Amino acid sequence: MKYITLFSSLVILIFSGCQKDEPLQYQVVIMLYKQNPYGEISECKLDNQKAYCLSQLVYDGGTSVYNESGDKIGTCNYAWGPVDAICSKLNNCEVIYRAKNNILNLPFIDKYGLSR
């Protein structure tokens, strides 16, 4: 019985340690999805940290940039004049969510199952 309890405790520690940094980032992605379920969310790198871009899927729509904590840190809208300097520092961007049937006819993407 002693070994079963020890083994169970070890399994719980292992699985709880594996998911340590994911919840905050996933919460940020959920927050962005709730802000605009008809838009597009990209996961990018900004100075070796994650950043998220929430874009409106409309012509001349802008993009808001958020840090990995979910704080808005910039805006990129090339249609309406100068953009924040942060826009040129984003790299390795990957679209993780894009709404179905969007006006731009871009394919639907839902990497994390947000629309379920």
Side-chain angles (χ1 to χ4, degrees):
M1 187 68 163
K2 182 177 176 181
Y3 292 109
I4 293 172
T5 305
L6 180 61
F7 180 74
S8 298
S9 299
L10 183 59
V11 169
I12 290 170
L13 282 172
I14 289 170
F15 282 112
S16 64
C18 290
Q19 299 175 356
K20 212 165 194 175
D21 358 339
E22 288 302 302
L24 177 60
Q25 293 172 2
Y26 190 67
Q27 289 173 3
V28 171
V29 172
I30 291 172
M31 175 198 73
L32 296 175
Y33 171 76
K34 287 180 178 180
Q35 278 186 25
N36 188 359
Y38 306 107
E40 178 180 274
I41 303 170
S42 295
E43 199 172 66
C44 303
K45 286 285 187 184
L46 176 66
D47 299 328
N48 292 321
Q49 293 188 9
K50 280 192 180 179
Y52 298 93
C53 297
L54 177 61
S55 302
Q56 301 173 29
L57 287 178
V58 295
Y59 298 108
D60 296 342
T63 298
S64 297
V65 182
Y66 297 82
N67 65 14
E68 57 189 7
S69 299
D71 302 317
K72 187 174 179 180
I73 56 174
T75 302
C76 308
N77 189 337
Y78 294 91
W80 299 102
V83 297
D84 292 343
I86 201 169
C87 302
S88 64
K89 296 179 182 178
L90 296 166
N91 56 50
N92 298 330
C93 293
E94 174 191 3
V95 175
I96 58 172
Y97 175 79
R98 184 182 298 129
K100 290 182 185 177
N101 303 322
N102 57 75
I103 193 171
L104 302 177
N105 289 322
L106 295 170
F108 171 68
I109 297 173
D110 194 356
K111 181 177 179 179
Y112 297 123
L114 299 168
S115 63
R116 286 186 227 159

